C-alpha cells in the first residue's frame, strides 16, 4: 500500500511538472511573437478612413478605391538588386 | 524494481511531452529561416551582408507602405457595405453576404501580408544576386496576391452597389 502511494505521488508530481513545462513553452512562444510584430499590421488610424455620409455616391467612391499600380516599386527593388549585384 | 521502471517511464514521458504537444507555427518557420540565414551569412563578407540587408530593408518599407494603403481601402470597403445596408434597412441579401465574405477575406489577406517578414534562402556567396532576386520575386507575387484579393472584393462590392 505504501509503495502504491509512493508511486502515485511520484506520478502526480511528474504530471504536474510536465504540465508546467508545456505551459512555459507556450508562454515562451507567445512572448517571442514580438519578432513578428516588428512590422506593424497597419499604421492607419480609424480617423483617416474616408467619411461616408448619406449623400455619398457609394458606387463612385468604391470605383475610386482601386489600388495603385505597384510596378514602380518592383522596378525600383529590381534596380537596387541589380546595382548591388554588380559588385557582389 | 517496479518503482524504478515506472519512474523511468514517467521521466521518458516528461522528456517527450513537449515534442508531442509541439505544433509548428508561422513563427517557428520564420525563426527557422532566420537561424538558417544567420548561420550562412556570418561567413559572408561584411559588405555583401550589408547589401543583402539593404535590399530586405527596402522590401520591408515597400510592404509596409503598400499594405497600409490596401488596409485603408479595405476599411473603406467595409464602411461602404455598412452604409449600403443602412440605406436598405439592414436587410442583408445573398449578394451583401457574399460581399461581406470577400471583404473579410481580402482584409485578412492584407493583414497576413503586412505581418510577413522576408528572409533570404541563401544558396552560396557566388549566387548572392540570384538569391536577392528570388526574394524580390517572392515578395512581388505575395503582395500581388493580397492586392488581387482587394481588387476582387471591390468588384464583388460593385455588383452590390450598382
Amino acid at each position: 500500500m505504501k509503495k502504491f502511494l509512493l508511486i502515485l505521488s511520484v506520478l502526480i508530481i511528474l504530471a504536474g511538472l510536465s504540465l508546467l513545462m508545456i505551459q512555459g513553452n507556450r508562454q515562451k512562444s507567445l512572448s517571442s511573437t514580438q519578432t513578428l510584430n516588428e512590422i506593424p499590421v497597419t499604421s492607419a488610424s480609424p480617423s483617416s478612413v474616408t467619411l461616408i455620409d448619406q449623400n455619398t455616391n457609394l458606387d463612385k467612391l468604391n470605383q475610386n478605391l482601386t489600388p495603385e499600380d505597384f510596378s514602380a516599386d518592383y522596378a525600383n527593388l529590381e534596380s537596387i538588386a541589380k546595382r548591388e549585384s554588380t559588385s557582389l | 524494481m517496479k518503482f524504478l521502471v515506472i519512474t523511468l517511464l514517467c521521466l521518458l514521458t516528461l522528456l517527450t511531452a513537449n515534442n508531442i504537444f509541439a505544433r509548428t507555427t508561422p513563427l517557428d518557420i520564420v525563426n527557422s529561416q532566420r537561424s538558417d540565414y544567420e548561420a550562412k551569412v556570418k561567413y559572408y563578407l561584411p559588405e555583401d551582408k550589408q547589401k543583402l540587408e539593404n535590399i530586405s530593408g527596402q522590401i520591408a518599407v515597400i510592404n509596409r507602405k503598400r499594405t497600409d494603403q490596401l488596409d485603408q481601402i479595405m476599411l473603406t470597403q467595409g464602411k461602404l457595405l455598412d452604409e449600403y445596408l443602412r440605406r436598405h434597412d439592414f436587410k442583408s441579401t445573398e449578394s451583401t453576404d457574399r460581399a461581406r465574405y470577400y471583404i473579410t477575406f481580402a482584409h485578412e489577406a492584407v493583414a497576413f501580408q503586412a505581418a510577413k517578414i522576408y528572409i533570404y534562402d541563401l544558396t552560396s556567396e557566388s549566387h548572392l544576386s540570384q538569391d536577392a532576386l528570388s526574394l524580390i520575386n517572392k515578395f512581388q507575387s505575395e503582395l500581388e496576391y493580397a492586392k488581387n484579393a482587394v481588387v476582387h472584393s471591390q468588384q464583388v462590392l460593385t455588383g452590390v452597389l450598382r
Side-chain angles (χ1 to χ4, degrees), chain A residues 2-85:
Chain A
K2 264 189 180 178
K3 264 190 181 176
F4 174 74
L5 279 174
L6 190 69
I7 291 167
L8 196 68
S9 58
V10 168
L11 280 174
I12 289 167
I13 290 166
L14 287 176
L17 276 173
S18 62
L19 272 174
L20 278 174
M21 280 180 75
I22 292 162
Q23 268 195 330
N25 230 28
R26 274 187 191 162
Q27 277 181 347
K28 194 179 153 196
S29 87
L30 277 176
S31 63
S32 55
T33 51
Q34 282 164 342
T35 52
L36 270 181
N37 294 333
E38 282 169 8
I39 299 174
V41 172
T42 176
S43 63
S45 63
S47 59
S48 62
V49 177
T50 314
L51 288 171
I52 300 162
D53 59 30
Q54 286 182 336
N55 303 316
T56 308
N57 182 325
L58 300 182
D59 186 37
K60 197 177 169 190
L61 180 54
N62 183 39
Q63 294 311 312
N64 290 337
L65 291 177
T66 308
E68 289 173 29
D69 187 9
F70 297 170
S71 53
D73 285 337
Y74 302 146
N76 182 36
L77 265 179
E78 279 168 14
S79 73
I80 293 170
K82 278 173 190 163
R83 194 175 63 230
E84 300 282 25
S85 69

Side-chain angles (χ1 to χ4, degrees), chain A residues 11 14 18 35 41-44 48 53-54 56 59 62-63 65-66 68 73-74 78 84-85 87, chain B residues 10 14 21 27 51 65-66 68 71-73 79-80 86-87 114 117 129 140 144 147 154 158 162:
Chain A
L11 280 174
L14 287 176
S18 62
T35 52
V41 172
T42 176
S43 63
S48 62
D53 59 30
Q54 286 182 336
T56 308
D59 186 37
N62 183 39
Q63 294 311 312
L65 291 177
T66 308
E68 289 173 29
D73 285 337
Y74 302 146
E78 279 168 14
E84 300 282 25
S85 69
S87 55
Chain B
C10 289
L14 183 70
F21 290 102
L27 177 71
K51 283 167 186 169
K65 182 181 81 175
R66 291 309 188 181
D68 273 359
D71 188 69
Q72 284 288 316
I73 292 172
K79 283 198 157 199
L80 280 172
R86 197 188 63 74
R87 291 180 191 182
I117 296 168
S129 59
Q140 284 182 16
E144 280 300 303
K147 183 186 163 189
Q154 183 194 20
T158 302
R162 272 191 181 156

Side-chain angles (χ1 to χ4, degrees), chain B residues 51-156:
Chain B
K51 283 167 186 169
L52 286 173
E53 281 172 8
N54 289 346
I55 296 167
S56 62
Q58 196 63 29
I59 288 175
V61 168
I62 293 172
N63 193 39
R64 189 179 309 176
K65 182 181 81 175
R66 291 309 188 181
T67 51
D68 273 359
Q69 289 173 350
L70 294 176
D71 188 69
Q72 284 288 316
I73 292 172
M74 291 323 302
L75 289 170
T76 312
Q77 279 186 17
K79 283 198 157 199
L80 280 172
L81 184 59
D82 289 345
E83 176 62 15
Y84 175 85
L85 285 167
R86 197 188 63 74
R87 291 180 191 182
H88 293 82
D89 300 324
F90 297 101
K91 282 176 189 160
S92 53
T93 59
E94 198 179 313
S95 59
T96 57
D97 287 347
R98 189 165 175 266
R100 181 76 70 197
Y101 170 81
Y102 281 105
I103 287 171
T104 308
F105 178 83
H107 206 171
E108 283 181 5
V110 171
F112 187 61
Q113 177 58 34
K116 278 184 183 168
I117 296 168
Y118 285 91
I119 299 164
Y120 293 99
D121 180 15
L122 295 177
T123 49
S124 72
E125 197 160 7
S126 57
H127 290 95
L128 269 185
S129 59
Q130 287 96 318
D131 290 343
L133 286 171
S134 153
L135 189 71
I136 291 169
N137 287 336
K138 186 182 177 215
F139 165 62
Q140 284 182 16
S141 73
E142 290 179 354
L143 183 62
E144 280 300 303
Y145 175 81
K147 183 186 163 189
N148 289 337
V150 171
V151 171
H152 183 66
S153 72
Q154 183 194 20
Q155 286 164 352
V156 175

